mmCIF file of all heavy atoms in Angstrom:
data_model
loop_
_atom_site.group_PDB
_atom_site.id
_atom_site.type_symbol
_atom_site.label_atom_id
_atom_site.label_comp_id
_atom_site.label_asym_id
_atom_site.label_seq_id
_atom_site.Cartn_x
_atom_site.Cartn_y
_atom_site.Cartn_z
ATOM 1 N N PHE F 1 86.785 98.733 105.682
ATOM 2 C CA PHE F 1 85.727 99.456 104.987
ATOM 3 C C PHE F 1 86.214 99.759 103.578
ATOM 4 O O PHE F 1 87.318 100.299 103.404
ATOM 5 C CB PHE F 1 85.404 100.785 105.682
ATOM 6 C CG PHE F 1 84.476 100.686 106.859
ATOM 7 C CD1 PHE F 1 84.398 99.538 107.630
ATOM 8 C CD2 PHE F 1 83.679 101.767 107.229
ATOM 9 C CE1 PHE F 1 83.555 99.457 108.729
ATOM 10 C CE2 PHE F 1 82.829 101.702 108.314
ATOM 11 C CZ PHE F 1 82.762 100.548 109.074
ATOM 12 N N VAL F 2 85.424 99.410 102.566
ATOM 13 C CA VAL F 2 85.713 99.786 101.183
ATOM 14 C C VAL F 2 84.586 100.703 100.728
ATOM 15 O O VAL F 2 83.432 100.284 100.613
ATOM 16 C CB VAL F 2 85.827 98.570 100.254
ATOM 17 C CG1 VAL F 2 86.129 99.021 98.824
ATOM 18 C CG2 VAL F 2 86.919 97.619 100.750
ATOM 19 N N HIS F 3 84.933 101.942 100.479
ATOM 20 C CA HIS F 3 83.954 102.992 100.232
ATOM 21 C C HIS F 3 84.046 103.455 98.777
ATOM 22 O O HIS F 3 85.113 103.877 98.320
ATOM 23 C CB HIS F 3 84.248 104.156 101.191
ATOM 24 C CG HIS F 3 83.332 105.324 101.058
ATOM 25 N ND1 HIS F 3 83.704 106.598 101.380
ATOM 26 C CD2 HIS F 3 82.054 105.407 100.629
ATOM 27 C CE1 HIS F 3 82.693 107.421 101.161
ATOM 28 N NE2 HIS F 3 81.689 106.719 100.701
ATOM 29 N N VAL F 4 82.946 103.360 98.059
ATOM 30 C CA VAL F 4 82.886 103.802 96.667
ATOM 31 C C VAL F 4 82.204 105.163 96.615
ATOM 32 O O VAL F 4 81.120 105.344 97.178
ATOM 33 C CB VAL F 4 82.108 102.781 95.809
ATOM 34 C CG1 VAL F 4 81.669 103.407 94.492
ATOM 35 C CG2 VAL F 4 82.967 101.558 95.538
ATOM 36 N N THR F 5 82.846 106.127 95.953
ATOM 37 C CA THR F 5 82.274 107.466 95.877
ATOM 38 C C THR F 5 82.824 108.219 94.674
ATOM 39 O O THR F 5 83.907 107.905 94.173
ATOM 40 C CB THR F 5 82.560 108.267 97.164
ATOM 41 O OG1 THR F 5 81.952 109.557 97.083
ATOM 42 C CG2 THR F 5 84.068 108.449 97.376
ATOM 43 N N HIS F 6 82.067 109.220 94.220
ATOM 44 C CA HIS F 6 82.562 110.150 93.207
ATOM 45 C C HIS F 6 82.943 111.471 93.853
ATOM 46 O O HIS F 6 83.434 112.378 93.179
ATOM 47 C CB HIS F 6 81.489 110.407 92.135
ATOM 48 C CG HIS F 6 80.304 111.161 92.660
ATOM 49 N ND1 HIS F 6 79.272 110.532 93.313
ATOM 50 C CD2 HIS F 6 80.001 112.480 92.660
ATOM 51 C CE1 HIS F 6 78.371 111.445 93.692
ATOM 52 N NE2 HIS F 6 78.796 112.631 93.308
ATOM 53 N N ASP F 7 82.723 111.591 95.168
ATOM 54 C CA ASP F 7 82.943 112.832 95.904
ATOM 55 C C ASP F 7 84.374 112.867 96.449
ATOM 56 O O ASP F 7 84.725 112.115 97.354
ATOM 57 C CB ASP F 7 81.924 112.930 97.050
ATOM 58 C CG ASP F 7 81.946 114.271 97.760
ATOM 59 O OD1 ASP F 7 83.033 114.721 98.153
ATOM 60 O OD2 ASP F 7 80.869 114.874 97.931
ATOM 61 N N GLN F 8 85.192 113.780 95.898
ATOM 62 C CA GLN F 8 86.601 113.833 96.280
ATOM 63 C C GLN F 8 86.790 114.171 97.750
ATOM 64 O O GLN F 8 87.617 113.567 98.448
ATOM 65 C CB GLN F 8 87.344 114.881 95.418
ATOM 66 C CG GLN F 8 87.247 114.633 93.933
ATOM 67 C CD GLN F 8 86.123 115.414 93.281
ATOM 68 O OE1 GLN F 8 85.036 115.550 93.829
ATOM 69 N NE2 GLN F 8 86.380 115.929 92.091
ATOM 70 N N GLU F 9 86.019 115.142 98.245
ATOM 71 C CA GLU F 9 86.142 115.533 99.644
ATOM 72 C C GLU F 9 85.793 114.378 100.569
ATOM 73 O O GLU F 9 86.444 114.158 101.592
ATOM 74 C CB GLU F 9 85.245 116.738 99.937
ATOM 75 C CG GLU F 9 85.312 117.191 101.390
ATOM 76 C CD GLU F 9 84.325 118.303 101.700
ATOM 77 O OE1 GLU F 9 84.453 119.379 101.086
ATOM 78 O OE2 GLU F 9 83.437 118.087 102.545
ATOM 79 N N GLU F 10 84.761 113.634 100.202
ATOM 80 C CA GLU F 10 84.335 112.492 101.002
ATOM 81 C C GLU F 10 85.447 111.459 101.113
ATOM 82 O O GLU F 10 85.753 110.947 102.194
ATOM 83 C CB GLU F 10 83.101 111.886 100.346
ATOM 84 C CG GLU F 10 82.314 110.929 101.198
ATOM 85 C CD GLU F 10 80.991 110.593 100.520
ATOM 86 O OE1 GLU F 10 80.107 111.480 100.444
ATOM 87 O OE2 GLU F 10 80.858 109.459 100.044
ATOM 88 N N ALA F 11 86.074 111.140 99.977
ATOM 89 C CA ALA F 11 87.159 110.153 99.981
ATOM 90 C C ALA F 11 88.346 110.638 100.796
ATOM 91 O O ALA F 11 88.926 109.886 101.592
ATOM 92 C CB ALA F 11 87.588 109.853 98.545
ATOM 93 N N MET F 12 88.719 111.892 100.627
ATOM 94 C CA MET F 12 89.900 112.413 101.306
ATOM 95 C C MET F 12 89.678 112.573 102.800
ATOM 96 O O MET F 12 90.607 112.426 103.596
ATOM 97 C CB MET F 12 90.316 113.737 100.675
ATOM 98 C CG MET F 12 90.785 113.595 99.229
ATOM 99 S SD MET F 12 91.201 115.166 98.466
ATOM 100 C CE MET F 12 92.697 115.588 99.350
ATOM 101 N N THR F 13 88.446 112.869 103.202
ATOM 102 C CA THR F 13 88.148 113.064 104.623
ATOM 103 C C THR F 13 88.213 111.752 105.402
ATOM 104 O O THR F 13 88.723 111.710 106.523
ATOM 105 C CB THR F 13 86.742 113.676 104.787
ATOM 106 O OG1 THR F 13 86.705 114.949 104.147
ATOM 107 C CG2 THR F 13 86.374 113.836 106.254
ATOM 108 N N MET F 14 87.725 110.669 104.791
ATOM 109 C CA MET F 14 87.554 109.431 105.549
ATOM 110 C C MET F 14 88.630 108.383 105.321
ATOM 111 O O MET F 14 88.976 107.631 106.239
ATOM 112 C CB MET F 14 86.189 108.818 105.211
ATOM 113 C CG MET F 14 85.019 109.660 105.665
ATOM 114 S SD MET F 14 83.435 108.788 105.520
ATOM 115 C CE MET F 14 83.265 108.682 103.749
ATOM 116 N N ALA F 15 89.157 108.275 104.118
ATOM 117 C CA ALA F 15 89.959 107.107 103.752
ATOM 118 C C ALA F 15 91.421 107.223 104.188
ATOM 119 O O ALA F 15 92.008 108.304 104.158
ATOM 120 C CB ALA F 15 89.890 106.881 102.245
ATOM 121 N N ASP F 16 91.987 106.080 104.573
ATOM 122 C CA ASP F 16 93.433 105.984 104.776
ATOM 123 C C ASP F 16 94.140 105.944 103.427
ATOM 124 O O ASP F 16 95.206 106.530 103.250
ATOM 125 C CB ASP F 16 93.790 104.712 105.546
ATOM 126 C CG ASP F 16 93.014 104.574 106.834
ATOM 127 O OD1 ASP F 16 92.951 105.562 107.592
ATOM 128 O OD2 ASP F 16 92.449 103.486 107.079
ATOM 129 N N THR F 17 93.540 105.212 102.490
ATOM 130 C CA THR F 17 94.102 105.039 101.146
ATOM 131 C C THR F 17 92.993 105.254 100.129
ATOM 132 O O THR F 17 91.866 104.802 100.319
ATOM 133 C CB THR F 17 94.687 103.626 100.970
ATOM 134 O OG1 THR F 17 95.652 103.386 102.003
ATOM 135 C CG2 THR F 17 95.353 103.477 99.609
ATOM 136 N N VAL F 18 93.341 105.947 99.038
ATOM 137 C CA VAL F 18 92.387 106.229 97.965
ATOM 138 C C VAL F 18 92.939 105.671 96.661
ATOM 139 O O VAL F 18 94.114 105.873 96.340
ATOM 140 C CB VAL F 18 92.137 107.743 97.811
ATOM 141 C CG1 VAL F 18 91.174 108.020 96.658
ATOM 142 C CG2 VAL F 18 91.604 108.338 99.113
ATOM 143 N N ALA F 19 92.091 104.953 95.921
ATOM 144 C CA ALA F 19 92.428 104.524 94.563
ATOM 145 C C ALA F 19 91.555 105.320 93.605
ATOM 146 O O ALA F 19 90.327 105.238 93.664
ATOM 147 C CB ALA F 19 92.187 103.032 94.388
ATOM 148 N N VAL F 20 92.176 106.119 92.741
ATOM 149 C CA VAL F 20 91.434 106.904 91.759
ATOM 150 C C VAL F 20 91.262 106.055 90.503
ATOM 151 O O VAL F 20 92.254 105.615 89.900
ATOM 152 C CB VAL F 20 92.170 108.218 91.421
ATOM 153 C CG1 VAL F 20 91.371 109.018 90.383
ATOM 154 C CG2 VAL F 20 92.379 109.051 92.676
ATOM 155 N N MET F 21 89.998 105.807 90.130
ATOM 156 C CA MET F 21 89.699 104.968 88.980
ATOM 157 C C MET F 21 89.262 105.807 87.781
ATOM 158 O O MET F 21 88.616 106.842 87.930
ATOM 159 C CB MET F 21 88.614 103.945 89.313
ATOM 160 C CG MET F 21 89.052 102.852 90.256
ATOM 161 S SD MET F 21 87.858 101.469 90.320
ATOM 162 C CE MET F 21 88.085 100.719 88.692
ATOM 163 N N ASN F 22 89.612 105.321 86.594
ATOM 164 C CA ASN F 22 89.225 105.967 85.346
ATOM 165 C C ASN F 22 89.185 104.911 84.255
ATOM 166 O O ASN F 22 90.163 104.184 84.057
ATOM 167 C CB ASN F 22 90.232 107.068 84.977
ATOM 168 C CG ASN F 22 89.905 107.756 83.675
ATOM 169 O OD1 ASN F 22 88.734 107.914 83.316
ATOM 170 N ND2 ASN F 22 90.926 108.166 82.948
ATOM 171 N N ALA F 23 88.047 104.794 83.593
ATOM 172 C CA ALA F 23 87.879 103.875 82.462
ATOM 173 C C ALA F 23 88.276 102.444 82.829
ATOM 174 O O ALA F 23 88.937 101.750 82.057
ATOM 175 C CB ALA F 23 88.692 104.356 81.268
ATOM 176 N N GLY F 24 87.867 101.998 84.021
ATOM 177 C CA GLY F 24 88.074 100.619 84.419
ATOM 178 C C GLY F 24 89.436 100.295 84.980
ATOM 179 O O GLY F 24 89.709 99.138 85.328
ATOM 180 N N ARG F 25 90.300 101.282 85.090
ATOM 181 C CA ARG F 25 91.657 101.065 85.612
ATOM 182 C C ARG F 25 91.955 102.043 86.743
ATOM 183 O O ARG F 25 91.290 103.074 86.872
ATOM 184 C CB ARG F 25 92.701 101.255 84.503
ATOM 185 C CG ARG F 25 92.663 100.176 83.421
ATOM 186 C CD ARG F 25 93.693 100.477 82.330
ATOM 187 N NE ARG F 25 93.781 99.412 81.354
ATOM 188 C CZ ARG F 25 94.636 98.400 81.426
ATOM 189 N NH1 ARG F 25 95.485 98.332 82.445
ATOM 190 N NH2 ARG F 25 94.660 97.466 80.505
ATOM 191 N N ILE F 26 92.975 101.715 87.529
ATOM 192 C CA ILE F 26 93.407 102.612 88.598
ATOM 193 C C ILE F 26 94.463 103.569 88.046
ATOM 194 O O ILE F 26 95.510 103.142 87.561
ATOM 195 C CB ILE F 26 93.951 101.827 89.797
ATOM 196 C CG1 ILE F 26 92.812 101.058 90.471
ATOM 197 C CG2 ILE F 26 94.611 102.767 90.806
ATOM 198 C CD1 ILE F 26 93.236 100.207 91.629
ATOM 199 N N GLU F 27 94.171 104.866 88.127
ATOM 200 C CA GLU F 27 95.116 105.882 87.684
ATOM 201 C C GLU F 27 96.245 106.060 88.696
ATOM 202 O O GLU F 27 97.400 106.216 88.335
ATOM 203 C CB GLU F 27 94.396 107.218 87.493
ATOM 204 C CG GLU F 27 93.465 107.278 86.314
ATOM 205 C CD GLU F 27 94.133 107.846 85.066
ATOM 206 O OE1 GLU F 27 95.135 108.571 85.192
ATOM 207 O OE2 GLU F 27 93.638 107.547 83.966
ATOM 208 N N GLN F 28 95.877 106.067 89.988
ATOM 209 C CA GLN F 28 96.875 106.265 91.040
ATOM 210 C C GLN F 28 96.289 105.812 92.358
ATOM 211 O O GLN F 28 95.081 105.932 92.595
ATOM 212 C CB GLN F 28 97.292 107.735 91.121
ATOM 213 C CG GLN F 28 98.480 108.010 92.043
ATOM 214 C CD GLN F 28 98.926 109.467 92.016
ATOM 215 O OE1 GLN F 28 98.393 110.267 91.251
ATOM 216 N NE2 GLN F 28 99.890 109.816 92.844
ATOM 217 N N LEU F 29 97.136 105.290 93.221
ATOM 218 C CA LEU F 29 96.734 104.808 94.539
ATOM 219 C C LEU F 29 97.696 105.358 95.576
ATOM 220 O O LEU F 29 98.919 105.328 95.383
ATOM 221 C CB LEU F 29 96.722 103.278 94.557
ATOM 222 C CG LEU F 29 96.231 102.558 95.809
ATOM 223 C CD1 LEU F 29 95.607 101.216 95.439
ATOM 224 C CD2 LEU F 29 97.382 102.316 96.798
ATOM 225 N N GLY F 30 97.159 105.862 96.672
ATOM 226 C CA GLY F 30 98.012 106.369 97.740
ATOM 227 C C GLY F 30 97.190 107.043 98.815
ATOM 228 O O GLY F 30 95.954 106.992 98.814
ATOM 229 N N SER F 31 97.868 107.693 99.755
ATOM 230 C CA SER F 31 97.171 108.450 100.787
ATOM 231 C C SER F 31 96.536 109.681 100.158
ATOM 232 O O SER F 31 96.966 110.143 99.088
ATOM 233 C CB SER F 31 98.152 108.885 101.876
ATOM 234 O OG SER F 31 99.056 109.857 101.357
ATOM 235 N N PRO F 32 95.496 110.241 100.792
ATOM 236 C CA PRO F 32 94.897 111.463 100.244
ATOM 237 C C PRO F 32 95.917 112.570 100.018
ATOM 238 O O PRO F 32 95.887 113.251 98.989
ATOM 239 C CB PRO F 32 93.865 111.848 101.305
ATOM 240 C CG PRO F 32 93.465 110.545 101.923
ATOM 241 C CD PRO F 32 94.740 109.728 101.948
#
């Protein structure tokens, strides 16, 4: 499952791994 969201709680509740994006790039990737 690849889930796109702007909701931080939503991403942290469901995802094994989160990639935080900003201005077309990944700022950081890891577990919630």
Side-chain angles (χ1 to χ4, degrees):
F1 278 28
V2 180
H3 180 207
V4 163
T5 182
H6 68 277
D7 188 310
Q8 303 95 320
E9 179 185 298
E10 195 170 290
M12 295 177 70
T13 298
M14 294 190 291
D16 307 312
T17 304
V18 178
V20 180
M21 290 193 71
N22 179 33
R25 292 178 174 268
I26 292 178
E27 289 266 337
Q28 189 176 356
L29 184 150
S31 68

